[in-house]
Each structure stands twice: as structure tokens, then as C-alpha cells.
């Protein structure tokens, strides 16, 4: 095969995998599993090593998100998620968030992230990792449940997303009763921040606060931190929440001062 033929074949395979990722993302029953190397190998009729290289290349370029130390497969990446379907306000929020997330990592020592409501979940549009060895990482492009994460509950509390019809238990701490969740969201709004206490993953906790389109403007998204229960727990949550809300307010001010 000529060099041109090889390049065309590689491009066609990559596009086929992107289509598989998009199809998977549109199926609520399957999207949490991700796309495995074995599935790609079968669908393309190639060896697993070739399938793995294709997925790794797509992940490097932002078209896929590699699984984070789990058995789940690859998900649709931020290069596709963040360029399609976001509103102008959401794109502006994403554009401005990074230095504030960096500040949040410096203040708290935990991984920081920003999220908006999209596709029936909380879409992580930016994320900064901490240098700590024990950490909770949320990758850019990841779509998280609304009812069991601090970012999701923050978006629900400020009515950026509707309450999900189904509330599956992610852990033994997940709120699965609609009435209890509504009461919890009222508390979130009164506090000014949301907390995930091992509700999405055992051992992992999070704190998120809303960001607005100006001082008196509507909410646009939220920023927050994630970390192990050893560091985010009832003894530390109040001080950490104060830092998260402080930086969220600073990002709101930056949106005020930045022309659209």
C-alpha cells in the first residue's frame, strides 16, 4: 500500500472510532461504560495493539478521554464536546476559568475543575491537577451525574439543569429519593455551595460553588475541588468551601470585567 493509502486508511479508522464514541455518548444506558480497546478491535477488524494506538492518538489530540485508572473505556473528548453544543456564555466561562482553577489548587491543595450543564449531566470543561499523590481527578470532557456529584448538585440547585428522572445509587451515600434530593438542593442553595460526601465514588469527595454572568446575572456554571475523604471531610469542609466560594466569586467578577 502506498503512503497515501496508509494515511487514508488511518484517517478512516480514526473517523470510525470517533463515530463510535459519539454513538456511545448518545446512549444513556451505555455511555458510562465507555469504548474499550476490545470493542474498537472488533469493530475495525484490527489487532488490539492497533486499536489501542488509535484510541491513544485520539486522546492525545483531545477527541477522546482515556479511562482514569478504571476498567471503563474511552469517552468522547473535549475537542468535540467543548466545540459543539455549548452556549456563548458557557464558552466564555470555559475560556476564563483556567487561572482561577490554578488559584484554587494553590489554596486547597486539591484538584480543581469547572463544569457546565450539558447532555443531561455536568460537563467538565476545564480541570487542573494537584501534585499530591493521593488525589481525585476529573478529566476535561467527562460527563458526570447530576445527582451524586458536587458539580452536578450545584448545577441543579441553581436550576441550570432539570432534576433527573432516574437517581441511581452510585454508592451507599447517594441520594436516590427525589423528595430528599429537592430538600438537599434547597440547603445547597442556602449555603452557597454543594458538597459530595462519597456520593459518587467511595473515598472521593467534592465541593463546588456557582459562577454567574455578572454580579446580578444568571448562573452559568460552577467550579470546585475534588479530593480524598481523608482531606475533604466534616472537619475541613467549611474552610475549604469558603475558599471555593471565594474563587468562584472572583471568576464571576472577571466575567463582569471581560467584554463579551
Amino acid at each position: 500500500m502506498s503512503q497515501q493509502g496508509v494515511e487514508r486508511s488511518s484517517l478512516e479508522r480514526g473517523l470510525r472510532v470517533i463515530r463510535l464514541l459519539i454513538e456511545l455518548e448518545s446512549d444513556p444506558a451505555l455511555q458510562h461504560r465507555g469504548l474499550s480497546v476490545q470493542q474498537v478491535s472488533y469493530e475495525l477488524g484490527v489487532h488490539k495493539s492497533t486499536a489501542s494506538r488509535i484510541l491513544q492518538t485520539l486522546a492525545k489530540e483531545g477527541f477522546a478521554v482515556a479511562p482514569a485508572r478504571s476498567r471503563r473505556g474511552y469517552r468522547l473528548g473535549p475537542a468535540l464536546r467543548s466545540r459543539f453544543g455549548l452556549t456563548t456564555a458557557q464558552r466564555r466561562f470555559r475560556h476564563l476559568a483556567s487561572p482561577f482553577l490554578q488559584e484554587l489548587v494553590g489554596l486547597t491543595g486539591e484538584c480543581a475543575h469547572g463544569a457546565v450543564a450539558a447532555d443531561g449531566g455536568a460537563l467538565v470543561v476545564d480541570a487542573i491537577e494537584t501534585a499530591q499523590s493521593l488525589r481525585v481527578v476529573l478529566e476535561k470532557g467527562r460527563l458526570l451525574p447530576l445527582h451524586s456529584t458536587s458539580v452536578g448538585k450545584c448545577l441543579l440547585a441553581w436550576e441550570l439543569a432539570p432534576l433527573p428522572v432516574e437517581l441511581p445509587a452510585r454508592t451507599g451515600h447517594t441520594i436516590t429519593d427525589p423528595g430528599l434530593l429537592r430538600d438537599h438542593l434547597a440547603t445547597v442553595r442556602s449555603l452557597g455551595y454543594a458538597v459530595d460526601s462519597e456520593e459518587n465514588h467511595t473515598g472521593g469527595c467534592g465541593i463546588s460553588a456557582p459562577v454567574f454572568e455578572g454580579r446580578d446575572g444568571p448562573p452559568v456554571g460552577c467550579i470546585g475541588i475534588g479530593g480524598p475523604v481523608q482531606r475533604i471531610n466534616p472537619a475541613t469542609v467549611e474552610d475549604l468551601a469558603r475558599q471555593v466560594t471565594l474563587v468562584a466569586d472572583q471568576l464571576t467578577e472577571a466575567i463582569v470585567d471581560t467584554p463579551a
Side-chain angles (χ1 to χ4, degrees), residues 77-100:
L80 290 174
R81 282 190 183 280
S82 62
R83 294 179 188 177
F84 300 96
L86 294 188
T87 66
T88 300
Q90 288 173 333
R91 290 196 296 271
R92 190 175 175 207
F93 165 81
R94 181 195 63 200
H95 175 70
L96 294 172
S98 185
F100 296 92

Side-chain angles (χ1 to χ4, degrees), residues 2-260:
S2 66
Q3 181 63 31
Q4 184 177 8
V6 170
E7 291 175 355
R8 180 177 178 181
S9 177
S10 298
L11 176 60
E12 289 174 345
R13 288 173 175 173
L15 291 173
R16 284 180 64 188
V17 174
I18 288 174
R19 282 195 291 269
L20 289 173
L21 289 165
I22 293 172
E23 290 171 6
L24 186 75
E25 207 64 42
S26 65
D27 189 336
L30 297 176
Q31 60 182 205
H32 69 284
R33 298 181 186 176
L35 186 65
S36 69
V37 172
Q38 186 173 356
Q39 286 175 281
V40 172
S41 174
Y42 173 79
E43 292 287 343
L44 270 57
V46 298
H47 193 273
K48 286 184 181 179
S49 60
T50 301
S52 179
R53 283 196 299 272
I54 294 171
L55 285 165
Q56 289 172 13
T57 299
L58 291 176
K60 182 180 178 182
E61 298 299 324
F63 293 101
V65 174
R69 297 181 294 278
S70 75
R71 295 181 180 180
R72 293 177 181 173
Y74 285 74
R75 299 288 302 277
L76 197 65
L80 290 174
R81 282 190 183 280
S82 62
R83 294 179 188 177
F84 300 96
L86 294 188
T87 66
T88 300
Q90 288 173 333
R91 290 196 296 271
R92 190 175 175 207
F93 165 81
R94 181 195 63 200
H95 175 70
L96 294 172
S98 185
F100 296 92
L101 298 181
Q102 293 276 12
E103 181 183 356
L104 202 47
V105 173
L107 286 172
T108 67
E110 305 295 349
C111 295
H113 42 265
V116 299
D119 300 327
L123 176 63
V124 180
V125 294
D126 199 359
I128 306 293
E129 291 189 35
T130 178
Q132 302 215 52
S133 56
L134 182 60
R135 55 190 172 180
V136 174
V137 180
L138 298 182
E139 312 93 339
K140 283 194 289 185
R142 183 93 175 270
L143 192 66
L144 301 171
L146 291 167
H147 70 296
S148 59
T149 61
S150 68
V151 287
K153 290 193 291 183
C154 199
L155 298 174
L156 288 174
W158 274 269
E159 300 180 344
L160 284 165
L163 195 72
V165 175
E166 297 182 0
L167 305 173
R170 303 277 296 179
T171 73
H173 299 281
T174 308
I175 301 173
T176 58
D177 179 88
L180 291 177
L181 182 58
R182 290 189 186 93
D183 291 343
H184 177 74
L185 294 174
T187 300
V188 166
R189 186 147 184 158
S190 67
L191 289 172
Y193 60 86
V195 178
D196 154 24
S197 299
E198 298 187 87
E199 295 162 53
N200 198 57
H201 290 292
T202 300
C205 299
I207 304 171
S208 296
V211 175
F212 300 86
E213 295 179 59
R215 298 178 190 92
D216 300 313
V220 62
C222 63
I223 63 171
I225 59 172
V229 68
Q230 291 91 336
R231 296 197 300 268
I232 301 180
N233 52 57
T236 63
V237 69
E238 190 173 335
D239 286 340
L240 290 171
R242 189 179 300 113
Q243 292 168 329
V244 172
T245 53
L246 172 66
V247 178
D249 290 344
Q250 291 173 352
L251 179 50
T252 290
E253 292 295 322
I255 291 175
V256 172
D257 295 335
T258 303

